[in-house]
Amino acid sequence: MTLETVSTSKSFGGMQGVYRHASEATGTDMTFAVYVPPHEPGTKLPVLWYLSGLTCTHQNVMDKGEYRRTAAEQGVIVVCPDTSPRGDDVADDEAYDFGKGAGFYVDATEAPWARHFRMYSYITQELPRVIADNFPADMNRQGITGHSMGGHGALTIALRNPGRFKSVSAFAPISAPMQCPWGEKALGGYLGTDRAAWARHDSVALIEGGARLDALLVDQGDADGFLSEQLKPELLRKACEKAGIPMILRLQAGYDHSYNFVSTFMGDHIEWHAKRLR
């Protein structure tokens, strides 16, 4: 597999890079960003995955997330994948919440999406191999976080892969996609009518079905316009309480759903992950 370097730029003593490769999982070229902090030659560093939300690529958090200073201070690699396959022959939808930019971190089974929309396999299998082969990554020390749809992805991927991630957090995650319009549209469109298949990509349903995390940090703005209809963090909190999962849910007064919110608390999350990844 050939990894193409799209760009590199020094930042806080480390290197912010953007890379492209031909993906077997999606059948398309995929682009992702990696920040590698300053480190001694031969050192292996912990890895924090950041999964982005609806409409985003790797570029949004790279430009607006303000993660590099803290990642450099804490010695953590940050990996930022895309949210869906791209290309002229990739199926799409006119709506912002389905199709390109809205892969929902599932492996689609319904036509025409099944051909390329295999983001679960890409994030959990293929891209980790690329990271392990090309960067100074200690794959025994991985954490995962994400925003909105990416928060949903971070939670469900961690819940479905016990032991892989030593730390899990989220910014305004779609907590119960089977119970909100975004999730019902995406899961129905990509996976069909079998709600048992949906449950494999729903954090609340996974926890109710026995999946567990060691701990969880969630930040949520209380001025978020999607809070009550789409995000529903109270359902996640109740599921965690019932399952005995230690969850910190911080309702942040006056914050909305934007990257102004994410960037404000990004440093807290990286420090939280770094502590657990040491």
Side-chain angles (χ1 to χ4, degrees), residues 9 19 33 64 81 108 129 154 156 158 161 188 195-196 214 218 225 238 240 260 271 276:
S9 181
Y19 307 91
K64 303 175 184 178
R129 292 195 297 268
T156 55
N161 293 273
R195 292 182 69 90
D214 291 336
V218 173
K238 290 178 182 177
C240 286
N260 294 324
E271 290 178 358
R276 286 156 180 78

Side-chain angles (χ1 to χ4, degrees), residues 38-238:
H39 62 283
E40 295 295 326
T43 303
K44 293 288 189 177
L45 303 171
V47 178
L48 177 60
W49 295 81
Y50 177 91
L51 305 186
S52 292
L54 289 168
T55 75
C56 291
T57 70
H58 67 281
Q59 193 79 36
N60 298 76
V61 67
M62 196 174 77
D63 290 348
K64 303 175 184 178
E66 301 184 21
Y67 56 83
R68 283 174 284 269
R69 179 189 293 274
T70 308
E73 292 171 348
Q74 298 294 328
V76 176
I77 293 173
V78 180
V79 179
C80 307
D82 202 345
T83 54
S84 77
R86 309 279 175 174
D88 293 340
D89 63 341
V90 174
D92 199 10
D93 189 270
E94 293 182 356
Y96 77 95
D97 56 356
F98 196 67
K100 293 180 186 177
F104 261 80
Y105 304 100
V106 305
D107 284 352
T109 56
E110 299 296 298
W113 315 104
R115 180 183 175 192
H116 296 298
F117 281 73
R118 298 184 54 79
M119 291 303 295
Y120 180 82
S121 290
Y122 179 69
I123 297 296
T124 62
Q125 299 175 32
E126 185 174 18
L127 190 54
R129 292 195 297 268
V130 174
I131 298 302
D133 289 346
N134 292 278
F135 300 92
D138 182 351
M139 303 305 283
N140 292 316
R141 293 187 290 159
Q142 296 185 72
I144 192 166
T145 188
H147 172 226
S148 193
M149 179 186 73
H152 139 78
L155 295 176
T156 55
I157 286 171
L159 286 163
R160 290 183 59 184
N161 293 273
R164 177 180 295 192
F165 301 99
K166 296 185 181 299
S167 56
V168 184
S169 75
F171 302 87
I174 303 172
S175 297
M178 294 177 69
Q179 302 182 58
C180 76
W182 277 341
E184 290 178 345
K185 178 178 181 177
L187 297 178
Y190 293 134
L191 303 176
T193 59
D194 182 6
R195 292 182 69 90
W198 298 15
R200 290 169 57 81
H201 300 281
D202 182 297
S203 299
V204 170
L206 286 165
I207 292 169
E208 290 175 345
R212 295 292 182 264
L213 299 172
D214 291 336
L216 176 60
L217 170 64
V218 173
D219 271 307
Q220 171 66 62
D222 71 0
D224 189 325
F226 301 114
L227 176 57
S228 60
E229 183 180 28
Q230 304 283 11
L231 306 177
K232 303 179 183 291
E234 71 281 358
L235 298 181
L236 181 61
R237 179 177 59 193
K238 290 178 182 177

